[in-house]
Amino acid sequence: MTIGAGIPLFSDKATFAPSSWTLTDHTVLDSGALFLTYERATTTVTLSVTD
């Protein structure tokens, strides 16, 4: 469940690209729920695989 306003994460209009964000903080509650904090990444790394 996502609560709050801001960038839509799970819709066809979502502009959230996980590779453009960096996890900066997290909290795990006793119930197992997570609070995750992201910031825009300053650089984007692109990986390619060649045979």
Side-chain angles (χ1 to χ4, degrees), residues 23-43:
L23 180 65
T24 58
D25 191 26
H26 71 283
T27 302
V28 180
L29 304 179
D30 291 338
S31 66
L34 300 171
F35 287 103
L36 304 174
T37 303
Y38 289 86
E39 291 183 6
R40 288 187 191 268
T42 55
T43 59

